[in-house]
Amino acid sequence: MITSRVRRRAAAAVLGLAAVMAPPVAAPAVSAPSASSHRVPPEPPAADAVRTELDGLKVEPPHSMTGYSRARFPHWIKQYGECDTREVVLSRDGSAVTQDSMCRAVAGSWYSPYDDKTLDSASKVDIDHMVPLANAWRSGADTWTTDRRKAFANDLDNPQLYAVSASSNRSKGDQSPDQWSPPNQDYWCTYSRAWGHIKSLYALSVTQPEKEKLIAMLDTCD
């Protein structure tokens, strides 16, 4: 009995010592958030659906630009890790994109659908807001909260952000489709579908000339 009791105590001591000396169990690895859900620009609804959306929009003259600044639409915000909205779109819309440790695109190529150009450097690429910030302000965003304007300016879930040539983006500025439309007319169908859907999604108004031009551009889808 004594021998058995001693053996049990010795075994317990050895097990306790092994537990102390054993390396700690590593915590399960947690994957960092990624842009995997944003691999391509979101597809806008079909032309007929956008025509219906346009019919539901308020038609009115542009609101005053009083109080407007781009700072009222905070961007580009961090989306995951070091990656802000611009870098996510560059990665999403580009081909063979390489990013550095700060998530900056250092190599790749980008096709600009507005003007049918291929660009070989991120420095030549702008991220365009399909419905420009100033246009949104004139269409109803002047009454929004800052949080809603921030969501609008960084919207990756809807057809609002596109990687395009800097020259086409700056030519467009804050103009509506009746004032500027892509030189590449093959893109008019997608452009008008995206513009009309964003206006509807955010309950923004349109001007009469803007609506008429959108309808004409939607006709290119047929």
Side-chain angles (χ1 to χ4, degrees):
M1 293 293 292
I2 295 176
T3 301
S4 176
R5 187 180 300 119
V6 169
R7 286 176 178 170
R8 287 198 296 270
R9 289 176 179 173
V14 170
L15 289 173
L17 180 61
V20 170
M21 296 179 65
V25 177
V30 178
S31 299
S34 71
S36 59
S37 61
H38 302 295
R39 293 191 183 281
V40 294
E43 183 70 17
D48 285 346
V50 176
R51 288 189 181 97
T52 300
E53 289 180 332
L54 284 176
D55 286 341
L57 295 182
K58 184 176 183 180
V59 178
E60 64 179 4
H63 298 189
S64 168
M65 287 295 287
T66 300
Y68 169 78
S69 77
R70 288 178 65 84
R72 302 291 294 273
F73 295 79
H75 66 290
W76 305 113
I77 64 171
K78 289 290 178 67
Q79 294 287 348
Y80 67 95
E82 294 297 326
C83 299
D84 64 20
T85 306
R86 170 181 165 81
E87 298 301 341
V88 172
V89 177
L90 284 174
S91 176
R92 180 196 72 184
D93 291 4
S95 176
V97 176
T98 301
Q99 296 173 302
D100 64 16
S101 61
M102 298 299 291
C103 206
R104 294 170 297 202
V106 295
S109 64
W110 292 264
Y111 174 70
S112 172
Y114 289 2
D115 46 7
D116 193 28
K117 293 180 178 179
T118 298
L119 312 166
D120 60 5
S121 171
S123 64
K124 301 175 184 177
V125 180
D126 278 1
I127 306 305
D128 178 54
H129 290 96
M130 174 56 65
V131 175
L133 306 182
N135 184 281
W137 181 272
R138 294 192 296 269
S139 306
D142 54 333
T143 66
W144 291 354
T145 65
T146 299
D147 282 346
R148 183 162 176 78
R149 286 193 287 263
K150 179 168 68 173
F152 176 84
N154 298 276
D155 188 349
L156 293 169
D157 296 320
N158 298 290
Q160 167 66 344
L161 299 173
Y162 292 84
V164 300
S165 68
S167 58
S168 66
N169 184 48
R170 293 165 198 183
S171 174
K172 171 182 175 178
D174 64 356
Q175 300 176 91
S176 56
D178 55 300
Q179 301 163 327
W180 185 94
S181 51
N184 177 19
Q185 294 191 18
D186 289 342
Y187 198 65
W188 280 18
C189 173
T190 300
Y191 191 88
S192 56
R193 287 159 53 217
W195 182 289
H197 181 59
I198 291 296
K199 282 277 175 127
S200 176
L201 187 65
Y202 284 91
L204 295 169
S205 63
V206 290
T207 65
Q208 187 60 41
E210 176 185 356
K211 182 176 181 178
E212 291 172 359
K213 180 65 173 183
L214 285 170
I215 292 171
M217 293 174 75
L218 287 169
D219 288 342
T220 67
C221 300
D222 300 331

